[in-house]
Amino acid sequence: MEYDDVVVGAGPNGLTAAAVLARAGRRVLVLEAASRAGGGARTDTAFGAQIRRDVCAAVHPTGFVSPAFADLDLTARGLQWLLPPYSVVHGYGPDRAMGLARDARRRGDELARDAAAWERVAGWAGSAPGVVDDVLNLPALPDRPVAAARFAAAAGLPAAALVRGAFRTPEVRTLFAGVAAHSARPLSAAASSAPGLLLAALAGSGWPVARGGSQAITDALVDVLTEHGGTLETDCRISDFAQLPTGARLFFATSPRTFGAVLGDRLPARYRRRLAGFAYGPGTCKVDFRLSEPIPWRDERFAATATFHLAEDVRQIAVAEAAAAAGRIPVRPWVLGGEPTRIDPSRAPAGTHLAWAYCHVPAGCTRDVSAAIVAEIERCAPGFRDVIVEQIVTTADAQESYNENNVGGDIGCGATSLRQLVQRPVLSPTPQATPVPGVYLCSAATAPGGGVHGMSGYRAALHSLR
């Protein structure tokens, strides 16, 4: 069969591009190197046939508000979003925690003296409906330039400077620092505030999980693709241009490294140099836990969220992120995690509970740092070790083995530096387009970047159709 479009990579961006193209009547083929589609949005049964574990991405604030997913109407395809009352709860110690609630009044009560400052600095989206769409469509010109300018002014700041200047209480400073540090950037780096501002703004809409696991997002996208005649082939690794069908437009939902290797001299020398200079961030070491009981937090708010952060103060986060960026394993990491079965009991049989947690480590790190992660959870939830039944560790180098887009274990497929917020990988209203006509790069290495939202694939597909 001849195809109009071939998509390499069946992660969220590749599948979104393929679904949009197939819906438009194009004959679409998707080629995936792994045995299952999904990329970072895969769910497996590594703990047992009745237990669903999210292997990588687990919580989806940008997916929930994604214009691409809304346009494809994934909720009509069985995708159910589960929204906990708290977007994130930050634990400072066994008896100290702070929650970032979806409800504005509750959020204000918890943030107390810093409530007004939080809404002014980090709640900008609440007063400008649709401005999140502008951010997810960057670097295209915004429809709401005033709100976008407010975001850009704060986004360019180092997170360390923003928290010192904006907030008065150590707890709120640490809360925002943890949200910002999702980007795996040193808090002293320019523009390290940007991802935190977006995620903080989305606290009002919520940080949800997909019922049944992140695979539900993938399954819904595949359903759109196949309903409109598209074809998905797995276990099909593309390492040479000659493997691809001729005469079709090509969409690469891959890292720039893989894309450059496959295209080779077909790309102009200047563009190849830009791809070769694309920077990746630190890696992650992730631990998945099967538990006999939920984590024994002392604060009930942990039972009402899908995401927790653990760090005593801003300094712990800053030191850990600086170490990982400098190629050193943090002596004391700060920890991101979640308990999906608190929000979605359907993922495991009664009496079985799941949790996950990770920290940032140097790129390509082969070391298992799960002991340090467990120690931080135990510090904030005494008795945690006693409820662990089984654990699975995924080191940074194993992250790349599982998903080639996670270069060095960088789950965002590219550092979120100031330069790469603007040039990802090039400065263009449509950075997915390449100098080769009919060839697109549409992974998270292109704007707007990481997250399970499909926007890079969506923009590439729409641009090609125009």
Side-chain angles (χ1 to χ4, degrees), residues 7-8 18 36 51 73 147 170 178 202 208 218 220 230 257 315-316 354 359 382 384 393 405 409 419 429 441 464:
V7 180
V8 178
R36 288 190 303 121
I51 303 173
D73 197 9
L202 292 173
T218 297
R257 187 177 68 178
R315 184 177 184 278
Q316 182 179 347
L354 300 178
C359 70
F384 171 64
V393 179
N405 282 12
R419 180 173 72 88
L441 175 63
S464 73

Short mmCIF file of all heavy atoms in Angstrom, two decimals, residues 7-8 18 36 51 73 147 170 178 202 208 218 220 230 257 315-316 354 359 382 384 393 405 409 419 429 441 464:
data_model
loop_
_atom_site.label_atom_id
_atom_site.label_comp_id
_atom_site.label_asym_id
_atom_site.label_seq_id
_atom_site.Cartn_x
_atom_site.Cartn_y
_atom_site.Cartn_z
N VAL A 7 4.74 8.47 9.90
CA VAL A 7 5.13 9.02 11.20
C VAL A 7 6.07 8.04 11.87
O VAL A 7 5.72 6.86 12.04
CB VAL A 7 3.90 9.29 12.09
CG1 VAL A 7 4.34 9.87 13.44
CG2 VAL A 7 2.93 10.24 11.39
N VAL A 8 7.24 8.50 12.26
CA VAL A 8 8.21 7.66 12.95
C VAL A 8 8.14 7.98 14.44
O VAL A 8 8.48 9.08 14.87
CB VAL A 8 9.64 7.90 12.42
CG1 VAL A 8 10.64 7.02 13.19
CG2 VAL A 8 9.70 7.61 10.94
N ALA A 18 -0.43 11.77 13.65
CA ALA A 18 -1.02 10.74 12.80
C ALA A 18 -2.54 10.78 12.84
O ALA A 18 -3.21 10.62 11.80
CB ALA A 18 -0.51 9.36 13.25
N ARG A 36 5.11 -1.79 21.90
CA ARG A 36 3.80 -1.17 22.17
C ARG A 36 3.90 0.32 21.90
O ARG A 36 4.93 0.94 22.12
CB ARG A 36 3.36 -1.39 23.62
CG ARG A 36 2.94 -2.82 23.93
CD ARG A 36 2.28 -2.92 25.29
NE ARG A 36 3.14 -2.43 26.34
CZ ARG A 36 2.84 -1.42 27.16
NH1 ARG A 36 1.69 -0.79 27.04
NH2 ARG A 36 3.68 -1.05 28.10
N ILE A 51 -2.37 -5.35 37.96
CA ILE A 51 -1.82 -4.10 38.49
C ILE A 51 -1.27 -3.27 37.34
O ILE A 51 -0.45 -3.74 36.56
CB ILE A 51 -0.71 -4.38 39.52
CG1 ILE A 51 -1.24 -5.26 40.65
CG2 ILE A 51 -0.16 -3.08 40.08
CD1 ILE A 51 -0.17 -5.73 41.62
N ASP A 73 -11.08 15.08 20.65
CA ASP A 73 -12.17 14.60 21.52
C ASP A 73 -11.85 13.24 22.11
O ASP A 73 -12.61 12.27 21.97
CB ASP A 73 -13.49 14.54 20.74
CG ASP A 73 -14.71 14.46 21.65
OD1 ASP A 73 -14.53 14.63 22.88
OD2 ASP A 73 -15.82 14.22 21.15
N ALA A 147 -1.22 39.28 28.51
CA ALA A 147 -1.01 38.19 29.46
C ALA A 147 0.26 37.42 29.14
O ALA A 147 1.01 37.02 30.03
CB ALA A 147 -2.22 37.26 29.46
N PRO A 170 8.95 30.88 54.01
CA PRO A 170 9.82 29.81 53.50
C PRO A 170 9.02 28.66 52.89
O PRO A 170 9.47 28.04 51.92
CB PRO A 170 10.58 29.35 54.74
CG PRO A 170 10.48 30.47 55.72
CD PRO A 170 9.19 31.14 55.44
N GLY A 178 9.80 23.76 44.18
CA GLY A 178 9.57 22.37 43.79
C GLY A 178 8.80 22.26 42.48
O GLY A 178 9.12 21.41 41.64
N LEU A 202 -1.63 26.01 36.14
CA LEU A 202 -2.53 24.89 35.88
C LEU A 202 -3.05 24.24 37.16
O LEU A 202 -3.88 23.33 37.08
CB LEU A 202 -1.83 23.84 35.01
CG LEU A 202 -1.53 24.29 33.58
CD1 LEU A 202 -0.68 23.26 32.86
CD2 LEU A 202 -2.82 24.55 32.81
N PRO A 208 -4.32 16.11 36.79
CA PRO A 208 -5.06 14.86 36.85
C PRO A 208 -4.24 13.64 36.44
O PRO A 208 -3.15 13.74 35.88
CB PRO A 208 -6.18 15.09 35.84
CG PRO A 208 -5.49 15.91 34.78
CD PRO A 208 -4.51 16.81 35.51
N THR A 218 -2.86 7.04 25.19
CA THR A 218 -2.34 6.39 23.98
C THR A 218 -3.43 5.62 23.25
O THR A 218 -3.58 5.72 22.03
CB THR A 218 -1.18 5.44 24.36
OG1 THR A 218 -0.12 6.21 24.92
CG2 THR A 218 -0.69 4.66 23.17
N ALA A 220 -6.61 6.04 23.25
CA ALA A 220 -7.59 6.93 22.63
C ALA A 220 -7.04 7.51 21.33
O ALA A 220 -7.77 7.62 20.32
CB ALA A 220 -7.97 8.06 23.59
N GLY A 230 -5.87 4.73 9.46
CA GLY A 230 -4.43 4.74 9.67
C GLY A 230 -3.90 3.38 10.11
O GLY A 230 -4.65 2.55 10.64
N ARG A 257 18.79 13.78 17.89
CA ARG A 257 19.91 12.89 17.64
C ARG A 257 19.51 11.78 16.67
O ARG A 257 20.21 11.51 15.68
CB ARG A 257 20.41 12.29 18.96
CG ARG A 257 21.68 11.46 18.81
CD ARG A 257 22.16 10.96 20.15
NE ARG A 257 21.25 9.96 20.73
CZ ARG A 257 21.47 9.34 21.89
NH1 ARG A 257 22.54 9.65 22.60
NH2 ARG A 257 20.62 8.45 22.34
N ARG A 315 16.80 25.35 49.82
CA ARG A 315 18.21 25.00 49.68
C ARG A 315 18.37 23.53 49.27
O ARG A 315 19.22 23.19 48.44
CB ARG A 315 18.97 25.27 50.98
CG ARG A 315 20.47 25.01 50.85
CD ARG A 315 21.22 25.36 52.13
NE ARG A 315 22.65 25.19 51.93
CZ ARG A 315 23.30 24.03 52.01
NH1 ARG A 315 22.63 22.93 52.31
NH2 ARG A 315 24.59 23.97 51.80
N GLN A 316 17.58 22.63 49.84
CA GLN A 316 17.69 21.22 49.47
C GLN A 316 17.43 21.03 47.98
O GLN A 316 18.13 20.27 47.30
CB GLN A 316 16.71 20.37 50.29
CG GLN A 316 16.80 18.88 49.97
CD GLN A 316 15.85 18.03 50.79
OE1 GLN A 316 15.28 18.49 51.77
NE2 GLN A 316 15.66 16.78 50.39
N LEU A 354 -0.18 1.32 44.97
CA LEU A 354 0.96 1.69 44.15
C LEU A 354 1.46 3.08 44.51
O LEU A 354 0.68 3.95 44.91
CB LEU A 354 0.59 1.68 42.66
CG LEU A 354 0.10 0.37 42.06
CD1 LEU A 354 -0.27 0.57 40.59
CD2 LEU A 354 1.17 -0.71 42.19
N CYS A 359 13.98 11.18 41.37
CA CYS A 359 14.81 12.36 41.59
C CYS A 359 15.69 12.55 40.37
O CYS A 359 15.85 11.65 39.54
CB CYS A 359 15.65 12.22 42.86
SG CYS A 359 16.98 11.00 42.74
N PRO A 382 7.12 8.47 58.37
CA PRO A 382 7.74 7.38 59.15
C PRO A 382 6.91 6.10 59.07
O PRO A 382 5.69 6.12 59.20
CB PRO A 382 7.75 7.95 60.57
CG PRO A 382 7.76 9.44 60.39
CD PRO A 382 6.92 9.69 59.18
N PHE A 384 7.20 4.16 56.26
CA PHE A 384 7.05 3.85 54.84
C PHE A 384 7.76 2.55 54.47
O PHE A 384 7.22 1.72 53.74
CB PHE A 384 7.60 5.00 54.00
CG PHE A 384 7.69 4.70 52.52
CD1 PHE A 384 6.54 4.44 51.79
CD2 PHE A 384 8.92 4.65 51.88
CE1 PHE A 384 6.61 4.15 50.43
CE2 PHE A 384 9.00 4.36 50.53
CZ PHE A 384 7.85 4.11 49.80
N VAL A 393 13.23 -0.36 40.07
CA VAL A 393 14.07 0.81 39.88
C VAL A 393 14.39 0.98 38.41
O VAL A 393 14.79 0.02 37.74
CB VAL A 393 15.37 0.71 40.70
CG1 VAL A 393 16.25 1.94 40.46
CG2 VAL A 393 15.07 0.54 42.19
N ASN A 405 13.92 8.51 23.04
CA ASN A 405 13.78 9.97 23.14
C ASN A 405 14.29 10.51 24.46
O ASN A 405 14.60 11.70 24.58
CB ASN A 405 12.31 10.37 22.95
CG ASN A 405 11.89 10.36 21.50
OD1 ASN A 405 12.60 9.84 20.64
ND2 ASN A 405 10.74 10.92 21.21
N GLY A 409 18.46 9.72 29.89
CA GLY A 409 17.46 9.68 30.95
C GLY A 409 16.68 10.96 31.10
O GLY A 409 15.90 11.13 32.05
N ARG A 419 17.73 29.46 26.08
CA ARG A 419 17.89 29.38 24.62
C ARG A 419 16.90 28.38 24.03
O ARG A 419 16.29 28.64 23.00
CB ARG A 419 19.32 28.99 24.26
CG ARG A 419 19.55 28.88 22.75
CD ARG A 419 21.01 28.67 22.43
NE ARG A 419 21.46 27.33 22.78
CZ ARG A 419 21.38 26.28 21.98
NH1 ARG A 419 20.84 26.39 20.78
NH2 ARG A 419 21.83 25.10 22.37
N PRO A 429 8.15 30.33 13.80
CA PRO A 429 6.75 30.21 14.22
C PRO A 429 6.27 28.76 14.18
O PRO A 429 5.36 28.37 14.90
CB PRO A 429 5.99 31.07 13.20
CG PRO A 429 7.01 32.00 12.66
CD PRO A 429 8.30 31.25 12.67
N LEU A 441 10.03 17.49 12.15
CA LEU A 441 10.47 16.98 13.45
C LEU A 441 9.43 17.42 14.46
O LEU A 441 9.24 18.62 14.66
CB LEU A 441 11.85 17.53 13.80
CG LEU A 441 12.40 17.17 15.19
CD1 LEU A 441 12.59 15.67 15.32
CD2 LEU A 441 13.70 17.91 15.47
N SER A 464 1.37 20.98 7.87
CA SER A 464 1.50 20.21 6.63
C SER A 464 0.20 20.23 5.83
O SER A 464 0.22 20.27 4.59
CB SER A 464 1.93 18.77 6.93
OG SER A 464 0.86 18.02 7.48
#
